[in-house]
């Protein structure tokens, strides 16, 4: 089943196909460990996975590993898919008429590496002033721009190191 935040029913035919291609790339980029890390939360009533319904707070919780900051506050990101857009069922809701309903997504992997994906937004997504044309790795302090909205990506301990507890595969 496709994540309900990634439906394309609201789009006209040409953009719907573009959105579906972007969705497949996004979902295919998750990887096994990330899917397993996000799976328990998808079906639970965990409040950290619920969609933002009120303005976010300005303080950063101490147990948060990565988040987005904008003029309205702090938007926590969880391992897995984090959608950003105008629609109320996104993880990060931006009340701006020029931001697409489903504008972009931040994919947080289980090892805390993060990628930004534009999901066929009408006006595109810029990272540090350059339009992205595919999945793009995020680093602490990166600026994500959607129309007139800026979000800054933050990672608690700077750049993550590769996981040490995984066995090394010998070819």
């Amino acid at each position: 089943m496709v994540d309900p935040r990634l439906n394309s029913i609201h789009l006209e035919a040409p953009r719907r196909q573009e959105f579906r291609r972007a969705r497949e790339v996004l979902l295919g980029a998750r990887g096994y460990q990330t899917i397993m890390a996000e799976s328990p939360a998808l079906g639970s009533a965990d409040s950290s996975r619920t969609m933002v319904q009120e303005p976010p707070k300005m303080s950063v919780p101490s147990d948060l590993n990565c988040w987005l900051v904008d003029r309205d506050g702090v938007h926590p990101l969880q391992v897995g898919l984090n959608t950003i857009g105008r629609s109320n069922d996104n993880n990060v809701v931006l009340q701006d008429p020029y931001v697409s309903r489903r504008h972009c997504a931040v994919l947080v992997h289980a090892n805390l590496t993060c990628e930004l994906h534009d999901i066929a937004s009408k006006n595109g997504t810029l990272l540090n002033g350059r339009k992205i044309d595919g999945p793009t790795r995020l680093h602490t302090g990166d600026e994500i721009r959607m129309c007139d909205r800026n979000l800054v990506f933050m990672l608690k301990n700077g750049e993550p190191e590769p996981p040490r507890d995984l066995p090394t595969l010998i070819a």
Side-chain angles (χ1 to χ4, degrees), residues 41-124:
L42 288 176
S44 71
D46 179 10
S47 63
S48 69
R49 291 294 294 186
T50 58
M51 305 311 157
V52 176
Q53 296 298 326
E54 59 186 52
K57 296 175 178 65
M58 286 306 285
S59 62
V60 177
S62 61
D63 62 340
L64 198 57
N65 288 313
C66 50
W67 61 94
L68 297 171
V69 180
D70 70 356
R71 65 180 181 232
D72 295 332
V74 174
H75 306 276
L77 300 174
Q78 296 86 23
V79 171
L81 179 66
N82 297 272
T83 58
I84 304 168
R86 196 177 70 234
S87 181
N88 286 332
D89 61 351
N90 287 298
N91 297 89
V92 178
V93 177
L94 301 177
Q95 299 299 330
D96 186 313
Y98 297 107
V99 171
S100 295
R101 290 180 193 145
R102 308 246 188 272
H103 201 99
C104 62
V106 174
L107 181 57
V108 179
H109 293 282
N111 67 356
L112 297 184
T113 57
C114 302
E115 299 172 3
L116 177 64
H117 293 252
D118 182 87
I119 42 180
S121 65
K122 199 168 206 171
N123 295 311

Side-chain angles (χ1 to χ4, degrees), residues 104-168:
C104 62
V106 174
L107 181 57
V108 179
H109 293 282
N111 67 356
L112 297 184
T113 57
C114 302
E115 299 172 3
L116 177 64
H117 293 252
D118 182 87
I119 42 180
S121 65
K122 199 168 206 171
N123 295 311
T125 303
L126 282 78
L127 180 63
N128 299 323
R130 295 182 183 198
K131 189 172 183 175
I132 64 169
D133 59 359
T136 307
R137 173 96 184 260
L138 287 170
H139 303 280
T140 299
D142 279 347
E143 182 180 278
I144 302 166
R145 185 172 180 86
M146 293 159 280
C147 303
D148 290 333
R149 296 299 300 261
N150 290 329
L151 295 165
V152 177
F153 173 77
M154 300 300 294
L155 193 58
K156 186 176 194 173
N157 296 319
E159 298 307 313
E161 293 183 26
R164 298 171 193 235
D165 57 346
L166 295 177
T168 304

